Amino acid sequence: MAWQHFAWVVTACACLGFSPVAADVIEVGANGATTVYSGPTLFLGTTAIPVLKPVPKAPAMATVSAPSRLIEPAYPSRLHPTLDAYVTEAATKYGVDPVLVRAVAWQESRFRGSAVSPKGAIGMMQLMPGTASWLGVNPHDPRDNIFGGVAYLSTLLDRFGGDVRLALAAYNAGPEAVARHRGIPPYRETQNYVKAISERLSIR
């Protein structure tokens, strides 16, 4: 038989079981014809099967679900064009959807730059003096107030992986409260705050 003419090769393979041969293998047939097997080859009985090197697969691209498009609601009162221009400018700078900024401003102060809360939060974005100081802005200046509020909202979105509801909860109750409760804190005010803005923007 033709395979007997290269028994020395088969014997070497048999010692290792069905092992691939790395060197070139030459088969000499009964009629003197030769067949060359180049590269790793697996011999099974009278069959020679080339062993192909696995081709590395490109890493799968991580799929990130796009956030739902925020729905711009109709507000009973309009935002002043100058303040709205500040919102657009700040939102562009910090990569925050201006629709979300306007929703927060409405919930916080009804777009009133002169609003001061019982806890001392100031202006349209209702910045606490300590937060304003940390951000390096003057909360009594309309432009500073908006830029500070949007910058703060941006840091919260980053901290909570872009989760708008958690960022809203953190804006209202503080990021440490959200981290401590591993979600929206069980405070009625915060839960109502997140619910009101989420429903207004159709966030699910």
Side-chain angles (χ1 to χ4, degrees), residues 119-180:
K119 294 181 180 179
I122 301 165
M124 189 174 84
M125 298 297 287
Q126 289 291 276
L127 293 181
M128 293 296 291
T131 303
S133 176
W134 174 69
L135 292 166
V137 297
N138 175 4
H140 298 282
D141 178 83
R143 186 177 185 278
D144 262 20
N145 187 287
I146 291 171
F147 269 73
V150 176
Y152 184 49
L153 186 56
S154 175
T155 65
L156 297 175
L157 287 165
D158 287 344
R159 176 167 179 174
F160 296 104
D163 189 313
V164 175
R165 289 166 58 82
L166 292 184
L168 291 173
Y171 196 95
N172 178 263
E176 298 311 319
V178 174
R180 186 169 60 252

Side-chain angles (χ1 to χ4, degrees), residues 7 24 42 55-56 66 71 101 104 110 119 121 125 129 141 159 169 186:
D24 288 353
L42 185 67
V55 178
I71 305 300
V101 176
V104 170
R110 298 300 189 263
K119 294 181 180 179
M125 298 297 287
D141 178 83
R159 176 167 179 174

Side-chain angles (χ1 to χ4, degrees), residues 1-2 5 27-35:
M1 292 179 65
H5 291 276
E27 175 188 350
V28 181
N31 58 359
T34 60
T35 305

Side-chain angles (χ1 to χ4, degrees), residues 70 72 75 87 96-106 125 153 157 164 167-168 197 201 203:
L70 302 181
E72 182 80 83
Y75 296 107
V87 166
V96 179
D97 192 328
V99 174
L100 176 60
V101 176
R102 285 190 286 269
V104 170
W106 170 259
M125 298 297 287
L153 186 56
L157 287 165
V164 175
L168 291 173
I197 297 178
L201 300 180
I203 298 172

Side-chain angles (χ1 to χ4, degrees), residues 2 6 49 52 55 90 96 98 103 112 114 120 122 129 137 142 151 170 174-175 177 186 200:
F6 62 110
I49 304 172
L52 302 178
V55 178
V96 179
R112 291 183 294 113
S114 59
I122 301 165
V137 297
R200 189 168 290 123

Side-chain angles (χ1 to χ4, degrees), residues 56-115:
K57 294 182 180 178
M61 295 295 291
T63 52
V64 180
S65 1
S68 306
R69 184 173 180 277
L70 302 181
I71 305 300
E72 182 80 83
Y75 296 107
S77 59
R78 293 175 62 85
L79 179 59
H80 189 280
T82 301
L83 297 180
D84 195 42
Y86 293 156
V87 166
T88 302
E89 185 183 356
T92 301
K93 178 176 180 178
Y94 294 107
V96 179
D97 192 328
V99 174
L100 176 60
V101 176
R102 285 190 286 269
V104 170
W106 170 259
Q107 189 67 29
E108 290 286 349
S109 67
R110 298 300 189 263
F111 298 149
R112 291 183 294 113
S114 59

